[in-house]
């Protein structure tokens, strides 16, 4: 019996006793009155029982062990070992995680948590969330079955902080308890994936307040990184993807020679979103000296909402046509990018446009609402949509310039694992998509955490401490560079991936997918094979 139910039953008994005493004082003695008292008691008990049923049993706030309903939408949030399925598309992969966790029980495993929202009303975002869980599972399986029996084995927790990390605090506190537990031994949190104010608060709480090492996933906002100016912004943070500024630098090296007079920035000025803020800054720098002032808009607070921005973009397009701009830097989230492209496709001017955006543009490849709008890119003189991807499977093919043997082998290992658990296999985890980068990046987030933990588990150490794991990030360079599915991850002294290769891609309206163009680097050229970041102000 839950404490809530026990408390309600106790109060009901007390109320019945009080009612009986009141009736005895009020009603005279006699059989008729005793019967009346009995009827009243039955009615009160019936009403009380219904209240208990309606408020506790029928609407039990528990969604399963470690997970409960929170907020007006009654979203199931919390932490599970795979026993609780947050959303139907997660069923298969959750079952595999639970089976893997059960298999390592009793073998002194280390626990790693994947902390990302697990539920979304946006089908494209839900697809990406599933991919991130799939990537984490593939990394767990690799650690437990493809690493020559290295210790410790890995237990994986799924931590759902709610939509836009609304309930990050109770979920983070559950992870803190797991870190303090000598049986759970949580040593890293991975996956954190959206550059929002709430994400920053969660990240700071985990790293700075509680000392838990964190390896985020597709987190690109500049403020979510340690730098020479802020070397301890997040103590114990290791990143696996380039920042928005690094992406812009790679795009600039790819498109060297673009005429400033023919560029324009279209930017979302909504506050509280570091992805937008740093993408604006990066693109304004690329367009510095352009004739045209930025065109601005403000998206809804929930960036998955459509709002009425199609109207704004409809009014904006004639001004873009009237300008000299042929390259548009779009600093916005995927929903707004889709709306903009559809309106730009309706333009009356006969000019070809190149629209350049950030890594989150990859979501368009899985956006069901864009599935019928690819023709927007072929109307008139056409639109080329180009962005800096976080990962792309074609980047590591044999003939791709700038690839290394280690990177090609690491990607093949990952793709073989993904095929092993594809639909139709003995233990499927659902369709695994690679072209929008989420599966690959989350896989890299977890294998980087595993590498840091196992590099610290040497000699007599069977289970490293939290500070020892955080210190392990400092050695993930040179011969200890992590070769991931998204490329080689060579951490600088601040825990950032130094000069990581960035695939430049474009959307192909015929194939309806993201097509790899070539690799580019923030520094304009690849790093030496034995990567060591230079010790200089600014790091990367």
């Amino acid at each position: 019996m839950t404490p809530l139910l026990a408390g309600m039953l106790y109060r009901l008994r007390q109320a019945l006793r009080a009612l009986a005493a009141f009736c005895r004082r009020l009603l005279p003695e006699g059989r008729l009155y005793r019967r009346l008292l009995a009827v009243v008691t039955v009615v009160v008990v019936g009403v009380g029982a219904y209240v208990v049923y309606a408020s506790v049993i029928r609407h039990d706030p528990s969604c399963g062990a470690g997970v409960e309903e929170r907020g007006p939408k009654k979203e199931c949030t919390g932490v599970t070992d795979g026993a609780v399925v947050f959303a139907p598309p997660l069923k298969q992969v959750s079952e595999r995680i639970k089976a893997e966790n059960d298999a390592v029980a009793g073998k002194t495993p280390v626990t790693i948590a994947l902390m990302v929202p697990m539920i979304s009303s946006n089908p494209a975002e839900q697809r990406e969330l599933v991919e991130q869980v799939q990537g984490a599972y593939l990394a767990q399986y690799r650690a437990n079955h493809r690493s020559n029996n290295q210790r410790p084995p890995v237990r994986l927790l799924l931590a759902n902080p709610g939509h836009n990390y609304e309930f990050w605090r109770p979920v983070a506190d559950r992870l803190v308890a797991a870190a303090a537990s000598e049986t759970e031994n949580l040593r890293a949190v991975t996956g954190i994936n959206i550059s929002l104010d709430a994400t920053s608060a969660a990240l700071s709480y985990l790293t700075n307040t509680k000392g838990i090492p964190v390896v985020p996933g597709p987190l690109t906002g500049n403020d979510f990184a340690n730098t020479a100016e802020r070397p301890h912004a997040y103590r114990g943070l290791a990143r696996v993807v380039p920042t928005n500024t690094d992406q812009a630098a790679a795009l600039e090296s790819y498109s060297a020679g673009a005429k400033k007079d023919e560029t324009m920035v279209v930017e979302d000025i909504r506050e509280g979103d570091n992805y937008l803020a740093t993408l604006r800054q990066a693109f304004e720098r690329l367009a510095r000296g352009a004739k045209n002032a930025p065109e601005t808009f403000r998206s809804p607070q929930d960036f998955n909402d459509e709002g009425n921005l199609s109207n704004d973009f409809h009014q904006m397009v004639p001004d873009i046509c009237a300008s000299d701009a042929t390259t548009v830097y779009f600093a916005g989230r995927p929903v707004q990018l889709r709306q903009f492209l559809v309106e730009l496709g309706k333009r009356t001017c006969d000019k070809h446009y190149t629209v350049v955006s950030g890594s989150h543009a990859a979501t368009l490849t899985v956006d069901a609402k864009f599935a019928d709008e690819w023709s927007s890119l072929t109307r008139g003189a056409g639109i080329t949509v180009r962005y800096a991807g976080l990962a792309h499977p074609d980047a590591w093919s044999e003939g791709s310039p700038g690839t290394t043997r280690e990177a090609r082998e690491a990607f093949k290992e990952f793709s073989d694992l993904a095929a092993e658990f594809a639909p139709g296999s003995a233990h499927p985890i659902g369709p695994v998509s690679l072209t929008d980068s989420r599966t690959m990046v989350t896989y890299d987030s977890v294998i980087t955490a595993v590498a840091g933990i196992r590099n610290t588990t040497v000699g007599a150490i069977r289970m490293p401490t939290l500070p020892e794991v955080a210190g392990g990030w400092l050695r993930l360079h040179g011969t200890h560079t992590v070769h991931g599915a998204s490329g080689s991850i060579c951490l600088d002294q601040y825990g950032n991936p130094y000069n990581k290769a960035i695939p430049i891609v474009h959307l192909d309206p015929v194939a309806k997918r993201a097509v790899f163009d070539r690799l580019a680097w923030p520094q304009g050229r690849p790093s030496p094979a034995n990567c060591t970041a230079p010790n200089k102000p600014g790091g990367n």
Side-chain angles (χ1 to χ4, degrees), residues 252 258-264 285-291:
E252 186 174 30
K259 297 179 180 178
K260 299 281 188 179
D261 287 349
E262 297 177 1
T263 64
M264 173 184 286
R285 183 181 63 80
L286 291 185
R288 187 173 297 154
K291 293 180 180 177

Side-chain angles (χ1 to χ4, degrees), residues 426-443:
H427 301 292
I429 59 175
V432 180
S433 172
L434 304 185
T435 56
D436 69 343
S437 77
R438 297 285 169 156
T439 313
M440 298 167 69
V441 166
T442 311
Y443 171 88

Side-chain angles (χ1 to χ4, degrees), residues 164-165 191-201 203 216-225 234 239 241-244 247 270-279 303 333 359-360 438:
N164 285 347
Y165 289 78
I192 295 175
N193 62 340
I194 311 174
S195 304
L196 302 172
D197 287 351
T199 321
S200 176
L203 195 57
L219 196 66
T220 62
N222 287 35
D223 290 350
F224 293 83
Y234 303 101
R239 297 167 48 89
V241 299
T243 63
N244 285 336
Q247 292 178 43
R270 175 171 53 82
E271 299 85 0
D273 189 326
N274 191 261
Y275 173 83
L276 297 179
T278 54
L279 202 59
F303 56 76
R333 293 281 185 176
S359 58
H360 206 181
R438 297 285 169 156

Side-chain angles (χ1 to χ4, degrees), residues 162-515:
H163 180 64
N164 285 347
Y165 289 78
E166 183 178 1
F167 305 106
W168 68 264
R169 181 59 186 266
V171 173
D173 283 337
R174 169 66 185 88
L175 299 179
V176 169
S181 167
E182 293 184 0
T183 57
E184 293 195 85
N185 291 314
L186 183 136
R187 289 297 178 267
V189 175
T190 64
I192 295 175
N193 62 340
I194 311 174
S195 304
L196 302 172
D197 287 351
T199 321
S200 176
L203 195 57
S204 180
Y205 181 72
L206 288 168
T207 58
N208 296 328
T209 305
K210 297 300 180 180
I212 297 177
V214 176
V215 187
L219 196 66
T220 62
N222 287 35
D223 290 350
F224 293 83
N226 297 321
T227 63
E229 296 73 27
R230 301 189 312 152
H232 304 299
Y234 303 101
R235 297 176 183 271
L237 180 70
R239 297 167 48 89
V240 299
V241 299
T243 63
N244 285 336
T245 296
D246 276 354
Q247 292 178 43
L251 284 165
E252 186 174 30
S253 71
Y254 174 84
S255 57
K259 297 179 180 178
K260 299 281 188 179
D261 287 349
E262 297 177 1
T263 64
M264 173 184 286
V265 176
V266 174
E267 58 188 21
D268 189 344
I269 57 174
R270 175 171 53 82
E271 299 85 0
D273 189 326
N274 191 261
Y275 173 83
L276 297 179
T278 54
L279 202 59
R280 286 196 303 265
Q281 294 167 5
F283 284 167
E284 286 173 2
R285 183 181 63 80
L286 291 185
R288 187 173 297 154
K291 293 180 180 177
N292 309 289
E295 292 282 353
T296 63
F297 64 94
R298 189 185 301 275
S299 63
Q301 195 59 39
D302 183 343
F303 56 76
N304 285 316
D305 287 349
E306 302 276 336
N308 62 352
L309 283 174
S310 291
N311 296 356
D312 291 54
F313 295 135
H314 180 75
Q315 298 174 54
M316 190 184 295
V317 166
D319 291 332
I320 296 174
C321 276
S323 74
D324 294 330
T326 56
T327 296
V328 176
Y329 293 108
F330 188 89
R333 293 281 185 176
V335 168
Q336 291 72 45
L337 176 58
R338 165 170 48 81
Q339 292 173 306
F340 174 73
L341 291 173
V342 171
E343 293 303 320
L344 187 61
K346 299 175 184 177
R347 68 194 181 281
T348 57
C349 58
D350 188 27
K351 283 197 292 185
H352 178 271
Y353 283 94
T354 297
V355 177
V356 179
S357 195
S359 58
H360 206 181
T363 299
L364 290 181
T365 63
V366 294
D367 186 348
K369 291 187 177 181
F370 192 63
D372 297 326
E373 301 290 355
W374 284 89
S375 60
S376 299
L377 308 185
T378 60
R379 295 191 187 112
I383 301 171
T384 298
V385 179
R386 180 165 283 119
Y387 59 92
L390 298 181
H392 194 283
D394 295 340
W396 311 112
S397 61
E398 188 70 35
S400 178
T403 64
T404 62
R405 175 182 56 80
E406 293 84 0
R408 291 193 297 271
E409 290 176 352
F411 175 75
K412 185 178 186 307
E413 181 182 26
F414 164 78
S415 59
D416 287 348
L417 273 174
E420 186 173 337
F421 293 95
S425 63
H427 301 292
I429 59 175
V432 180
S433 172
L434 304 185
T435 56
D436 69 343
S437 77
R438 297 285 169 156
T439 313
M440 298 167 69
V441 166
T442 311
Y443 171 88
D444 285 357
S445 171
V446 177
I447 69 167
T448 299
V450 172
I453 292 167
R454 286 182 170 172
N455 284 354
T456 314
T457 310
V458 294
I461 298 176
R462 295 192 61 195
M463 184 60 61
T465 65
L466 293 170
E468 286 171 340
V469 172
W473 306 152
L474 302 177
R475 293 187 289 278
L476 296 182
H477 60 263
T479 57
H480 296 292
T481 293
V482 177
H483 300 294
S486 66
S488 297
I489 301 159
C490 167
L491 297 185
D492 66 12
Q493 66 266 43
Y494 308 113
N496 301 308
Y498 173 71
N499 196 35
K500 187 180 179 185
I502 297 175
I504 306 300
V505 300
H506 73 273
L507 298 182
D508 184 333
V510 177
K512 295 185 177 181
R513 64 184 182 91
V515 174

